[in-house]
Amino acid sequence: MDADDLRIVDAVARIGSMNRAAAELNMVQSNVTARIRLLEEELGVQLFVRHSRGVVPSEAGLRLLSYVEQIRALFQQAITAVKEDGTPKGKLRIGMLGTTAGLRLPTLIAQYAQEHPKVELAIITGTTTSLMNQVVEHELDGAFVAGPIHHQELSEESLFFEELVLVSSLSVRNLDDLAKVENLKAIVFREGCSYRQRLSSILDGLGIRYVVMEFASLDAIITCITAGVGITLLPKMLVNRLWTDQSVTVHELPVDQAQVETVFVRRHDRYPTSALDTFLNMSRQISDVAILDRQLEAID
């Protein structure tokens, strides 16, 4: 079994057809079929179950496929490591929470793109859970998520601390008023979002009944809050930037409920490329500036 065999197995499983997989791989069908048969004979198991519409992986095939992406990622890391010369270049895939992107992304990305034009930078937003899974599965080089996290395959580095505030319509003057709102809507990101979990904990602690409204983007949540549809939980710094016209009420929370840590996670075993190291160094500089600003605010 070699890398080409795994590439063929992956294509057949993904497409569900020997013929169409052969076309994608620029091979003739007989060669694809022969390679699969030889591999099954070598391993002593059936990798695919044939049916009238094509093929599907057997249980043994599914077990093999679980390693294919890892092996492909290792091959790519090996190629990257060999070509590494200290100059940031190549593809860099970074995950971010939507709120982190809204706060930190513009300045960081603009500076990084200007200073390192050879890097193909892609930013993917999502929830803490989804981003962590993508890092584990080698789909992302690293991600900013809500911490702390404890995962045996990931390392984490604390970079930012945010103060969360509860945001509502102007009609809700204080937290006591929330209990009086009929059919209170909690405007949140999809399942797996740490802010969603914390908002639920806060409302449950206050004994407030609510209905969850789930959205996939920060823009959608902002639109709902501006329209007075419900309440949400967001970083105070982001709220200050978005609602300068004071069209919402901002409710401050106790320190234990308000403070959230943003950490950068990456795989322990992933090769630290110059592109990623440089991106992290720039992130640390922004983090240092944020800490200094908070200290100056405290003095004032």
Side-chain angles (χ1 to χ4, degrees):
M1 181 171 60
D2 58 24
D4 283 338
D5 289 328
L6 295 179
R7 186 167 61 95
I8 292 171
V9 169
D10 176 59
V12 173
R14 183 164 35 82
I15 297 172
S17 163
M18 298 278 188
N19 187 39
R20 294 199 302 274
E24 179 181 285
L25 296 167
N26 293 316
M27 299 173 64
V28 296
Q29 180 180 348
S30 59
N31 285 348
V32 170
T33 303
R35 291 286 288 271
I36 294 293
R37 185 176 295 115
L38 286 172
L39 187 56
E40 289 177 328
E41 291 175 359
E42 176 188 340
L43 297 175
V45 296
Q46 184 179 7
L47 296 175
F48 291 94
V49 177
R50 282 73 173 173
H51 56 77
S52 59
R53 296 185 301 278
V55 297
V56 294
S58 65
E59 290 188 8
L62 290 173
R63 289 195 294 271
L64 177 61
L65 285 166
S66 69
Y67 290 94
V68 169
E69 183 56 38
Q70 297 180 48
I71 294 171
R72 182 188 292 117
L74 286 173
F75 269 107
Q76 187 56 53
Q77 287 182 53
I79 294 171
T80 300
V82 169
K83 293 182 177 181
E84 181 66 53
D85 61 2
T87 302
K89 60 180 179 293
K91 295 181 179 180
L92 181 61
R93 301 158 300 174
I94 300 294
M96 286 189 181
L97 302 172
T99 50
T100 302
L103 278 171
R104 315 290 180 183
L105 180 62
T107 301
L108 177 60
I109 299 306
Q111 182 182 352
Y112 190 87
Q114 181 178 7
E115 296 181 8
H116 307 288
K118 293 183 179 180
V119 178
E120 300 175 38
L121 179 61
I123 300 296
I124 293 86
T125 58
T127 65
T128 290
T129 300
S130 67
L131 293 174
M132 284 176 55
N133 288 339
Q134 289 179 79
V135 174
V136 170
E137 296 298 325
H138 301 273
E139 297 171 9
L140 294 174
D141 297 298
F144 295 92
V145 300
I149 61 101
H150 303 286
H151 195 291
Q152 61 182 4
E153 295 182 73
L154 302 178
S155 62
E156 63 179 291
E157 177 181 349
S158 178
L159 284 177
F160 309 112
F161 283 91
E162 308 291 358
E163 179 187 353
L164 300 179
V165 291
L166 195 149
V167 188
S168 71
S169 65
L170 289 173
S171 62
V172 180
R173 295 165 297 176
N174 53 59
L175 294 180
D176 291 336
D177 287 345
L178 288 177
K180 305 172 186 176
V181 179
E182 293 186 10
N183 297 317
L184 179 67
K185 306 292 193 303
I187 314 297
V188 295
F189 289 107
R190 60 184 181 272
E191 199 69 46
C193 173
S194 59
Y195 292 2
R196 171 179 179 157
Q197 296 167 357
R198 186 166 298 203
L199 178 57
S200 294
S201 177
I202 292 170
L203 294 177
D204 290 341
L206 293 171
I208 296 174
R209 299 171 65 96
Y210 59 94
V211 176
V212 171
M213 289 187 67
E214 183 179 296
F215 292 92
S217 72
L218 179 60
D219 287 342
I221 291 176
I222 291 170
T223 299
C224 285
I225 299 302
T226 303
V229 173
I231 59 172
T232 194
L233 197 66
L234 291 173
K236 184 177 182 179
M237 187 185 301
L238 185 62
V239 173
N240 290 341
R241 291 183 184 180
L242 294 173
W243 283 290
T244 55
D245 59 353
Q246 298 182 340
S247 58
V248 295
T249 302
V250 177
H251 309 272
E252 297 201 356
L253 300 166
V255 174
D256 61 325
Q257 295 178 341
Q259 192 172 78
V260 62
E261 179 184 19
T262 299
V263 300
F264 187 84
V265 297
R266 52 178 166 172
R267 288 188 61 96
H268 289 298
D269 57 1
R270 194 168 188 86
Y271 182 80
T273 65
S274 297
L276 178 57
D277 282 346
T278 302
F279 186 88
L280 265 176
N281 285 333
M282 293 175 66
S283 300
R284 293 181 188 114
Q285 292 172 10
I286 292 177
S287 175
D288 291 341
V289 171
I291 291 172
L292 179 60
D293 287 343
R294 282 203 309 274
Q295 292 173 342
L296 292 175
E297 287 176 2
I299 293 173
D300 291 340

